[in-house]
Amino acid sequence: MAKIPVLEIFGPTIQGEGMVIGQKTMFVRTSGCDYSCAWCDSAFTWDGSQKPTLLTPKAIIEELDRLGLSRTGHVTLSGGNPLLHKALGELVTLLKKRDISLAVETQATFWQDWLLEIDDITLSPKPPSSGMTTDFDKLDSFIDKLGSANYSLKIVIFDEADYAFAKQLYVRYPNVPFYIQPGNAETEQSDERAASAYLLERYEWLIERATNCDTMIHARVLPQLHTLVWGNRQGV
């Protein structure tokens, strides 16, 4: 079996954002990302500050079992960008054989065929505040490949330019379930209550912005649920 660079395996916990928010899940966080977003809340996956462990799919499943996979029946593949790793396909196949539901989030820049086996796919193109640039032709192609898969778009919003970017995507993909959530600009905040209070203020701002919007009629406005509960703590 090929080995996968893993930074974290943790849970059971809940999914804090996107289409399966509130879902009880386990997390497998891989290292590496093709982006370096200015406000990334998991920069340790790509900035070299934490080193991954190379694990086989079998070893990953053994650790998931040890931690409590039987209490969730659901695994989230996270990063960085987990789509960088072709070898995750072996893990996906083994987990699906055990009737485990799977979720993944990606900025939709790299394609892997194993994505079509995932139950819940969140595409998260990055807004202008990230410092990254979305290739819309590549995003179009990515969505075409997904076909009838269960996927959605989720945009993190920090400011008005990001909100305009979200509206652009909403209009471009009118039939795709669409989620927006406030961005966390306080990723170094160690006081969990302060982090929660800040994000609630940002969530209120986004709710007000969305409810007065004539464009994104069916967009769902979500909080970053895990950060409201645990602040910027890692591994929850």
Side-chain angles (χ1 to χ4, degrees):
M1 285 187 174
K3 292 187 176 181
I4 300 161
V6 176
L7 282 167
E8 295 183 294
I9 302 173
F10 62 93
T13 184
I14 59 163
Q15 174 56 255
E17 47 190 78
M19 64 194 296
V20 287
I21 189 169
Q23 169 73 51
K24 188 161 69 168
T25 190
M26 308 288 295
F27 273 84
V28 176
R29 188 185 299 279
T30 59
S31 71
C33 193
D34 50 313
Y35 276 15
S36 54
C37 296
W39 36 251
C40 181
D41 61 2
S42 52
F44 62 89
T45 62
W46 52 264
D47 66 6
S49 61
Q50 295 186 28
K51 302 301 182 185
T53 301
L54 292 175
L55 298 174
T56 64
K58 182 180 178 181
I60 292 171
I61 291 174
E62 287 174 353
E63 180 63 5
L64 288 168
D65 282 333
R66 186 188 71 81
L67 291 171
L69 179 58
S70 64
R71 300 199 302 275
T72 66
H74 190 278
V75 172
T76 298
L77 304 177
S78 186
N81 184 3
L83 269 292
L84 293 177
H85 305 295
K86 184 177 181 180
L88 277 173
E90 295 180 47
L91 177 64
V92 168
T93 297
L94 290 174
L95 288 170
K96 295 303 293 182
K97 285 181 178 178
R98 289 179 51 172
D99 293 323
I100 302 298
S101 296
L102 297 169
V104 72
E105 179 174 327
T106 177
Q107 57 263 44
T109 50
F110 279 83
W111 177 266
Q112 299 288 353
D113 288 342
W114 57 256
L115 191 61
L116 296 177
E117 297 183 63
I118 302 298
D119 300 278
D120 305 299
I121 303 165
T122 297
L123 308 181
S124 184
K126 306 310 178 189
S129 63
S130 69
M132 303 292 106
T133 301
T134 296
D135 183 332
F136 285 98
D137 289 337
K138 182 178 287 188
L139 183 56
D140 288 344
S141 176
F142 202 99
I143 287 176
D144 284 344
K145 287 181 179 180
L146 285 173
S148 60
N150 183 36
Y151 66 94
S152 66
L153 282 160
K154 187 203 75 179
I155 311 300
V156 177
I157 295 176
F158 286 82
D159 53 31
E160 291 295 339
D162 290 354
Y163 196 87
F165 174 79
K167 288 199 295 183
Q168 180 184 3
L169 284 165
Y170 184 90
V171 171
R172 189 180 186 96
Y173 306 107
N175 299 315
V176 179
F178 203 91
Y179 300 84
I180 55 176
Q181 71 176 54
N184 179 13
E186 301 289 337
T187 56
E188 300 301 317
Q189 174 61 260
S190 59
D191 185 326
E192 293 177 4
R193 291 184 180 275
S196 177
Y198 164 77
L199 277 177
L200 281 173
E201 289 179 4
R202 298 303 299 159
Y203 186 41
E204 184 178 8
W205 170 80
L206 188 57
I207 289 172
E208 182 177 357
R209 192 70 182 81
T211 53
N212 288 290
C213 178
D214 294 327
T215 301
M216 295 194 288
I217 305 299
H218 299 294
R220 298 185 183 184
V221 188
L222 300 180
Q224 205 176 35
L225 190 58
H226 59 293
T227 310
L228 292 180
V229 178
W230 295 296
N232 293 309
R233 199 189 315 175
Q234 188 178 335
V236 285

